[in-house]
């Protein structure tokens, strides 16, 4: 199966009729090709490759600066790789689903094809599975089924014969082998981006597949699927996968600011109403905001409706504060908060080591941008809601005894930029990490263990340090994963402080002292919100998970659990 799409938001809607039309057309194309069994297999491969190549070149001529996305499933993966090797000048993004390239090197091919050619007609059993899936991707359980249950499936032969002819099956296997051999011989010439999708952590075996997985421009994503054909799984949205892998772009180079597509309603529901619902129900976050008159109210009423807005705060342990913020702003404000994220979230070796459903992949889906002054400036310039944690991972991965301690740099890194663009700064605090997690092994203790010491050093060599210019321990932005122990869950509390308008404050741009004064004021406001929440949460009758469970058992799981009186 193979599908070709041009980069652009209009073609990638999750419910787009055009996407469905192309998908069905290409499926029919493959079935139609299977019936062309009267011609030479080599000629068929050449003509099929030429036909797809003409389609791609035509699309490229229409918009030469836009990438073209090619989805290749099984045998379609051989076509996609071959096409990319023959057309390095075309900007291609290959999405390969269980590609059939490994069948060129499997030990079954030299034995299976001659054997099938002499099999009597009465024993020509459910081989269509081989023709569709490709010899290289046959699961072990399927081989066991074929070898041990031949007699039980003989009644199905008559029905299968009406569906697919035996000559067609043999032709399909030969074409599969030819395409796989051609693709493997040209793999070194491929310059296109590759997104390799695998089911149940199973990737094709063999030297060709290993070469594919280790290519610099190849990303691998794993899925848990209950269907034989991953691309037909109703729980997998191909656009969402591409967005999470940071491979959706409109030009030759990815732009995290302008190429971002906000989550669709189906993506939002899948994330927060299904996948992360137990996690968010466990946190039971309380959102408070401050009106212009200083009054504290529940909800986000105190947050302005329009940007540019720069939210600054303390970063909770292991970043447990991000998911509730993203969800609440989408539900109540219908706005995406663009999080300035650490580069580790965009380091491919780190991202590909996890399943597709993970916290790290959702960072990109819900507005994450690699932290840099340039990216933050462009976001504020576009009137976005921007979230910055000046303490970075030094706060999110803090040591024992450093709960709610700010590790901000001495210089006003963001104040002058916000003032130059007339942005509104909203300091806010988050409290509750100490009710969920307890540090068991922090950074200092891990450094004393030789194996962990070497692992931390090797990981941090792969991406640049964010704040090497900051002196002292406050600038120690080393990435590591502290060992934590879960606690009986309390509750997570947020308080968004009174907005600080920087529009018209031109003196900040030239006067360093004035900028530092505003900077220290913002920092003190973050500390004040934290102190307020730590005190007021003692008055919350539903801080305990037991009390919250009893309340929802009485009023329903969708009922908003009360909290303290602000």
């Amino acid at each position: 199966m193979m599908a070709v799409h041009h980069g652009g938001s209009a073609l990638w809607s999750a419910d787009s009729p055009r996407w469905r039309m192309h998908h069905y057309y290409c499926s029919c194309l493959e079935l139609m090709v299977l019936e062309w069994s009267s011609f030479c297999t080599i000629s068929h491969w050449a003509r099929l490759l030429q036909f797809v190549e003409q389609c791609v070149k035509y699309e490229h001529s229409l918009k030469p600066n836009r990438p073209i996305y090619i989805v290749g499933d099984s045998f379609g993966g051989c076509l996609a790789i071959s096409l990319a090797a023959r057309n390095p000048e075309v900007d291609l993004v290959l999405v390969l689903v269980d590609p059939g390239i490994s069948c060129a090197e499997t030990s079954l091919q030299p034995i299976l094809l001659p054997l099938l050619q002499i099999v009597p007609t009465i024993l020509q059993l459910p081989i269509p599975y081989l023709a569709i899936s490709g010899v290289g991707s046959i699961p072990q359980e399927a081989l066991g089924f074929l070898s041990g249950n031949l007699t039980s499936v003989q009644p199905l032969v008559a029905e299968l014969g009406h569906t697919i002819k035996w000559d067609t099956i043999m032709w399909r296997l030969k074409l599969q082998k030819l395409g796989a051999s051609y693709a493997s011989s040209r793999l070194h010439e491929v310059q296109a981006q590759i997104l390799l999708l695998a089911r149940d952590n199973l990737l094709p075996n063999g030297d060709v597949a290993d070469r594919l997985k280790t290519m610099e421009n190849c990303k691998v994503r794993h899925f848990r699927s209950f269907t034989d054909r991953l691309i037909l799984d109703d729980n997998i949205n191909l656009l969402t996968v591409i967005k999470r892998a940071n491979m959706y772009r409109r030009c030759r180079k990815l732009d995290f600011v302008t190429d971002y597509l906000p989550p669709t309603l189906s993506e939002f529901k899948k994330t927060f109403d299904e996948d992360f619902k137990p996690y968010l129900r466990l946190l039971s976050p309380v959102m408070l905001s401050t009106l212009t008159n200083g009054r504290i109210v529940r909800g986000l009423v105190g947050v302005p409706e329009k940007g540019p807005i720069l939210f600054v705060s303390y970063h909770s342990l292991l970043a447990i504060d991000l998911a509730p913020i993203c969800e609440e702003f989408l539900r109540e404000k219908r706005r995406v908060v663009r999080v300035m994220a650490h580069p580790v979230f965009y380091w491919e070796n780190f991202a590909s080591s996890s399943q597709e459903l993970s916290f790290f992949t959702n960072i990109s889906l819900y507005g994450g941008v690699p932290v840099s002054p340039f990216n933050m400036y462009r976001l504020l310039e576009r009137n976005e809601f921007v979230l910055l944690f000046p303490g970075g991972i030094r706060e999110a991965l803090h040591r024992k005894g450093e709960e709610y301690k700010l590790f901000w740099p001495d210089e006003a890194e963001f104040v002058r930029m916000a003032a130059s663009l007339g942005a509104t700064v909203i300091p806010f605090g988050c409290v509750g990490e100490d009710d969920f997690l307890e540090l068991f092994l922090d950074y200092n203790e891990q450094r004393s263990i030789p194996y962990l010491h070497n692992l931390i050093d090797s990981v941090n060599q792969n991406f640049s340090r964010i704040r090497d210019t900051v002196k002292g321990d406050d600038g120690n932005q080393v990435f590591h994963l502290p060992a934590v122990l879960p606690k009986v869950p309390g509750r997570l509390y947020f308080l968004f402080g009174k907005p600080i308008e920087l529009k018209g404050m031109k003196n900040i741009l030239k006067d360093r002292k004035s900028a530092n004064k505003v900077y220290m004021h913002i920092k003190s406001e973050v500390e004040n919100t934290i102190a307020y929440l730590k005190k007021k949460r003692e008055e919350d009758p539903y801080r305990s998970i037991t009390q919250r469970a009893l309340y929802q058992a009485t009023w329903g799981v969708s009922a908003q659990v009360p909290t303290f009186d602000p």
Side-chain angles (χ1 to χ4, degrees):
M1 186 183 301
M2 187 173 182
V4 180
H5 286 279
H6 225 299
S9 58
L11 296 184
W12 283 109
S13 172
D15 303 317
S16 171
R18 186 169 181 180
W19 164 255
R20 296 177 183 271
M21 179 187 69
H22 275 278
H23 193 281
Y24 176 77
Y25 169 75
C26 293
S27 301
C28 292
L29 174 63
E30 185 179 13
L31 294 178
M32 188 167 57
V33 170
L34 289 176
E35 296 300 328
W36 296 347
S37 56
S38 59
F39 297 98
C40 175
T41 305
I42 298 178
S43 175
H44 278 172
W45 167 255
R47 292 175 61 185
L48 181 59
L49 184 58
Q50 183 181 18
F51 171 75
V52 179
E53 190 174 40
Q54 289 174 350
C55 295
V56 170
K57 287 185 175 181
Y58 174 74
E59 291 288 336
H60 177 66
S61 66
L62 296 178
K63 296 181 180 179
N65 296 323
R66 289 255 182 155
I68 298 176
Y69 289 78
I70 301 180
V71 181
D73 186 5
S74 187
F75 176 69
C78 301
L79 272 175
I81 293 172
S82 304
L83 183 67
R86 288 163 56 99
N87 299 273
E89 74 283 355
V90 180
D91 186 10
L92 297 177
V93 180
L94 310 184
V95 183
L96 306 181
V97 187
D98 295 328
I101 55 175
S102 59
C103 74
E105 56 193 23
T106 179
S107 58
L108 291 175
Q109 273 284 6
I111 302 175
L112 187 59
L113 282 177
L115 179 63
L116 293 179
Q117 291 175 343
I118 62 175
V119 170
T121 304
I122 189 62
L123 295 179
Q124 294 172 359
L125 300 174
I127 309 301
Y129 180 84
L130 308 181
I132 298 175
S133 297
V135 177
S137 59
I138 304 176
Q140 291 297 324
E141 58 269 22
L143 291 175
F145 173 80
L146 291 175
S147 61
N149 296 276
L150 294 178
T151 304
S152 62
V153 298
Q154 285 184 6
L156 302 177
V157 173
E159 294 298 329
L160 291 172
H162 293 298
T163 306
I164 302 178
K165 296 181 180 179
W166 183 251
D167 291 341
T168 303
I169 295 173
M170 295 302 303
W171 176 87
R172 177 64 171 83
L173 289 172
K174 293 178 181 179
L175 188 65
Q176 175 82 34
K177 180 180 179 180
L178 179 62
S181 299
Y182 185 90
S184 63
S185 67
R186 303 290 295 272
L187 190 61
H188 64 282
E189 302 178 28
V190 175
Q191 301 179 17
Q193 278 187 290
I194 300 174
L195 179 59
L196 180 60
L197 310 184
R199 181 173 61 89
D200 298 331
N201 289 333
L202 297 177
L203 289 175
N205 297 316
D207 178 65
V208 174
D210 291 338
R211 285 165 53 199
L212 182 64
K213 290 180 283 185
T214 57
M215 290 176 64
E216 183 178 357
N217 58 347
C218 179
K219 296 183 179 182
V220 182
R221 293 294 181 268
H222 306 289
F223 296 87
R224 294 185 178 93
S225 176
F226 298 99
T227 64
D228 291 333
R229 310 307 302 175
L230 183 65
I231 200 171
L232 300 180
D233 193 326
D234 292 336
N235 295 318
I236 297 176
N237 186 308
L238 195 56
L239 172 60
T240 304
V241 174
I242 294 174
K243 289 161 63 176
R244 280 175 166 164
N246 295 308
M247 294 185 68
Y248 177 83
R249 52 188 174 86
R250 296 181 176 90
C251 299
R252 282 194 171 269
K253 186 177 180 181
L254 173 65
D255 189 321
F256 284 96
V257 175
T258 59
D259 286 338
Y260 175 68
L261 286 179
T264 63
L265 181 60
S266 61
E267 289 173 337
F268 175 81
K269 290 182 177 180
K270 181 71 169 61
T271 302
F272 296 110
D273 293 342
E274 296 181 27
D275 298 335
F276 286 86
K277 188 175 183 179
Y279 170 73
L280 293 169
R281 184 172 296 175
L282 192 69
L283 296 179
S284 186
V286 174
M287 294 283 175
L288 305 171
S289 61
T290 308
L291 304 178
T292 55
N293 60 4
R295 181 189 171 194
I296 298 176
V297 296
R298 190 163 188 182
L300 302 177
V301 181
V303 177
E305 299 292 331
K306 297 182 179 180
I309 298 178
L310 179 62
F311 300 91
V312 291
S313 181
Y314 160 82
H315 211 356
S316 296
L317 181 62
L318 295 180
I320 65 173
D321 46 8
L322 285 181
I325 293 175
C326 293
E327 182 199 21
E328 193 65 22
F329 271 87
L330 281 168
R331 285 192 188 278
E332 187 170 339
K333 292 290 186 180
R334 300 293 191 269
R335 290 296 298 261
V336 174
V337 177
R338 307 300 301 274
V339 181
M340 305 303 297
H342 192 276
V344 71
F345 292 110
Y346 305 94
W347 179 42
E348 183 49 36
N349 290 341
F350 186 79
S352 63
S353 63
S354 61
Q355 291 285 332
E356 174 61 20
L357 174 58
S358 70
F359 170 77
F360 304 105
T361 58
N362 278 307
I363 289 291
S364 297
L365 185 61
Y366 289 94
V369 177
V371 59
S372 72
F374 182 63
N375 284 339
M376 189 171 76
Y377 183 90
R378 295 179 63 209
L379 288 171
L380 293 175
E381 191 179 34
R382 293 164 60 91
N383 297 323
E384 299 271 12
F385 283 19
V386 183
L387 175 56
L388 174 68
F389 296 105
I393 62 171
R394 180 60 184 86
E395 291 175 355
L397 306 177
H398 59 69
R399 317 328 182 212
K400 291 180 178 179
E402 294 178 348
E403 297 84 359
Y404 308 117
K405 181 180 179 181
L406 272 61
F407 287 92
W408 288 18
D410 296 330
E411 298 294 328
E413 295 179 330
F414 58 83
V415 171
R416 282 187 291 273
M417 181 185 297
S420 66
L421 295 170
T424 300
V425 176
I426 299 183
F428 73 96
C430 176
V431 167
E433 66 173 53
D434 53 337
D435 275 352
F436 288 89
L437 302 170
E438 180 178 353
L439 270 174
F440 172 70
L441 201 64
D442 66 8
Y443 171 75
N444 295 329
E445 294 168 327
Q446 290 185 17
R447 295 287 294 184
S448 64
I449 303 175
Y451 171 76
L452 294 179
H453 179 103
N454 297 333
L455 180 61
I456 292 173
D457 289 343
S458 63
V459 168
N460 283 271
Q461 288 176 354
N462 292 280
F463 51 85
S464 59
R465 300 277 290 275
I466 301 300
R467 283 161 47 182
D468 279 344
T469 57
V470 181
K471 298 180 180 180
D473 191 51
D474 288 7
N476 188 358
Q477 291 277 347
V478 178
F479 180 81
H480 68 288
L481 289 178
V484 297
L485 295 175
K487 301 173 67 175
V488 177
R491 203 171 188 183
L492 211 60
Y493 302 87
F494 294 86
L495 173 58
F496 292 87
K498 186 176 180 179
I500 301 174
E501 296 281 352
L502 297 185
K503 186 175 182 179
M505 301 181 66
K506 300 295 184 181
N507 59 319
I508 294 179
L509 303 178
K510 299 181 180 180
D511 188 351
R512 186 176 296 272
K513 290 184 178 181
S514 298
N516 288 336
K517 184 178 179 180
V518 175
Y519 178 75
M520 295 307 297
H521 172 64
I522 295 172
K523 184 178 180 180
S524 65
E525 284 298 304
V526 172
E527 293 172 333
N528 290 338
T529 58
I530 293 176
Y532 173 88
L533 292 173
K534 290 175 69 176
K535 178 181 178 181
K536 294 293 289 185
R537 69 174 175 175
E538 301 293 337
E539 305 175 11
D540 187 0
Y542 298 97
R543 181 180 176 184
S544 168
I545 188 174
T546 304
Q547 296 299 321
R548 295 198 301 273
L550 291 174
Y551 182 89
Q552 290 184 327
T554 304
W555 299 98
V557 293
S558 60
Q560 186 182 59
V561 181
T563 185
F564 57 80
D565 188 18

